[in-house]
Amino acid sequence: MSIKWVLILSGIIIGAIALLLGVNGNPPNMGVCVACFIRDSAGSMGLHHTETVQYLRPEIFGFILGSFAAALIFKEFQSKAGSAPVIRFVLGFLMMAGCLVFLGCPLRMVLRIGAGDLNAVIGLVGLIIGIGIGSLFIKKGFSLPRNYRQSSIEGLILPAICIFLFALFLWNSDIFNTSVKGPGASHAPVWMSIIAGLIIGFIIQRTRFCFIGMAKHVFLSRNYNMAFGVIALTLVVLLGNIYLGKFNLGFENQPIAHNDGVWNFLSMALVGLCGVLITGCPLRQLANAGQGNSDAAVSVVGMLVGAAFAHNFSYASSPAGVTDNGKLVVIIGLLFAVIVATVYTYAVNKAKDNGISKNDA
C-alpha cells in the first residue's frame, strides 16, 4: 500500500475514533483534543484549580504508550536529547497558550470544522499562515541545535511515569481532582479512552501523521500525501456529524468555542509557528516523546505547565470570549517565536559562512 493510502486510512481511523469518543461521553467537538486533555489532566493533578476542567484523561497516556509500543515493536525506540531544551520548553508552553486561546489543538480545530464551526475555519487560516512563516525560516536555514544519543533510561522515563500515573488512577481515581460539571465531567469510559489513545499513538508513531507537518510538507516540498490523510479525517467527521444530527454550520452557538475571529486567527498562527520550530503539533510531540525523544518530552512538559498557567493566570478563553491576558500572551508569544526563529536562522547561516555544520551552530 502506498504511503498516500496509508495516511488516508490513518485519517479515517483517527476521525472515526474521535467520533466514537464524542458519542460515548467526551465533550462536544472534542472527541480528541490534545490541548484540552492536557489542560484537564493538569487540573486533575492540582496544577490549576478551575473546577470545570479537571479530569485525568486516559487518552494522553494512550498517545504516549501507543507510540512507545510501536517504537519498540519496529525497533525505532531511540533515546535522544540536548537540542535547546529551554527554547523547546518555552515554545511548547506558548503553543499550548495559543491552543487554549483558540480553545483546541489542530486536531480539535479539524473536528470543529467537520461539525460546521466556521470559527475553526478562521483558525485554520491562521494555522496555515503561522506554518507558512515558520517554513520560510526553514527555507532560510533555521534549525535548532542537534540532539545526541542518550542512555535508554532517559527515553524510558516519560513512558514509565505514564504507566505509574495510569495505574494509580485505576487503583484509586479519588486521588485526582475530577470535575462534577463542565467539560471535565464529560468523558468516555476509561477502557475506551485508553484503547483509543493507544491506537492513535501507534498510528502517529508509524505514519508521522501531524497537522502541522502536513502543511509544512506542502510548503517545503509540495508533498500532499499527509494532506490527503487530513482531508479523509475531516470528511469522516463531517459525514459522521451529519448522520448523528450534530452538524451545525455557522459562527454562533458552537460548543466550547468563541467567535472572536481576530484572536482565533492569531492564536492558531502562534500554534502553527511554534509547531514548525519544534517540529510537530501537540499530538506529534506526545508521540515523539513516547519513542524516546526527550526533546519532545521537554516540549510536552512545557505544554503541561502552559495549560496550568492558562487557568492560574486567566489567559485561557471561554465561550464568553478571549481574555485580555490571553491577547497579551498571544502577542508576546508571536514576538518571541519570531525572535527565536530569526536568531537561530542567523546563527546557522553565520556558522555556515564560517564552515561550521549547522548542527553544531
Side-chain angles (χ1 to χ4, degrees):
M1 186 183 294
S2 70
I3 186 62
K4 180 174 76 173
W5 284 105
V6 169
L7 288 165
I8 289 172
L9 179 60
S10 298
I12 291 171
I13 293 172
I14 294 171
I17 289 173
L19 282 172
L20 182 65
L21 289 173
V23 168
N24 284 278
N26 278 9
N29 296 353
M30 200 187 292
V32 178
C33 175
V34 177
C36 307
F37 290 175
I38 290 177
R39 172 204 64 199
D40 292 354
S41 298
S44 76
M45 293 184 285
L47 300 180
H48 71 71
H49 302 288
T50 303
E51 294 182 351
T52 55
V53 284
Q54 296 178 337
Y55 178 64
L56 195 68
R57 296 280 177 181
E59 294 93 340
I60 292 294
F61 303 129
F63 299 148
I64 294 172
L65 295 175
S67 174
F68 175 62
L72 288 180
I73 291 169
F74 293 95
K75 301 185 183 341
E76 292 184 354
F77 183 84
Q78 194 173 75
S79 184
K80 292 183 176 181
S83 173
V86 175
I87 293 294
R88 290 181 182 275
F89 175 91
V90 176
L91 290 174
F93 181 105
L94 293 172
M95 183 161 66
M96 177 59 70
C99 288
L100 294 182
V101 170
F102 170 73
L103 290 177
C105 67
L107 177 50
R108 183 172 189 242
M109 177 197 71
V110 172
L111 299 183
R112 287 171 56 180
I113 290 172
D117 186 349
L118 296 180
N119 300 296
V121 175
I122 296 175
L124 173 62
V125 176
L127 183 74
I128 291 172
I129 294 297
I131 296 169
I133 294 170
S135 298
L136 286 175
F137 279 108
I138 290 177
K139 284 184 176 181
K140 294 293 183 181
F142 170 83
S143 177
L144 292 175
R146 64 172 297 180
N147 54 21
Y148 297 88
R149 289 290 298 272
Q150 306 288 324
S151 164
S152 295
I153 296 174
E154 175 80 19
L156 290 170
I157 290 174
L158 185 60
I161 290 172
C162 289
I163 292 171
F164 172 75
L165 286 174
F166 185 59
L168 194 61
F169 178 74
L170 291 177
W171 176 61
N172 184 7
S173 62
D174 291 338
I175 294 173
F176 301 95
N177 298 327
T178 302
S179 299
V180 296
K181 61 180 180 179
S186 301
H187 49 81
V190 172
W191 65 268
M192 184 180 293
S193 297
I194 189 65
I195 292 173
L198 288 168
I199 293 171
I200 292 175
F202 194 97
I203 289 172
I204 299 300
Q205 196 284 326
R206 297 307 304 144
T207 64
R208 277 55 175 176
F209 199 99
C210 175
F211 298 89
I212 289 173
M214 175 269 295
K216 189 173 76 171
H217 287 321
V218 172
F219 282 123
L220 295 178
S221 59
R222 297 296 184 266
N223 184 329
Y224 295 90
N225 287 336
M226 203 171 291
F228 286 113
V230 173
I231 291 169
L233 189 159
T234 308
L235 288 175
V236 166
V237 174
L238 172 64
L239 294 174
N241 279 311
I242 291 173
Y243 174 77
L244 294 168
K246 295 183 177 181
F247 183 78
N248 174 30
L249 184 65
F251 291 96
E252 303 292 338
N253 300 317
Q254 298 294 344
I256 316 177
H258 61 79
N259 59 4
D260 192 326
V262 171
W263 296 101
N264 279 326
F265 175 91
L266 290 175
S267 59
M268 289 308 284
L270 175 60
V271 173
L273 178 54
C274 290
V276 170
L277 300 184
I278 58 176
T279 317
C281 64
L283 181 55
R284 181 70 184 277
Q285 296 299 322
L286 291 172
N288 285 352
Q291 66 181 32
N293 189 321
S294 293
D295 292 329
V298 169
S299 297
V300 170
V301 174
M303 290 190 290
L304 181 68
V305 174
F309 270 55
H311 285 276
N312 289 333
F313 293 92
S314 303
Y315 61 78
S317 299
S318 71
V322 182
T323 69
D324 289 339
N325 288 354
K327 296 174 183 178
L328 181 61
V329 167
V330 168
I331 295 300
I332 292 173
L334 286 167
L335 290 173
F336 179 83
V338 169
I339 289 170
V340 167
T342 302
V343 168
Y344 276 94
T345 301
Y346 173 80
V348 168
N349 288 318
K350 183 75 171 177
K352 192 182 298 183
D353 292 340
N354 293 330
I356 302 172
S357 166
K358 71 176 184 178
N359 288 326
D360 297 320

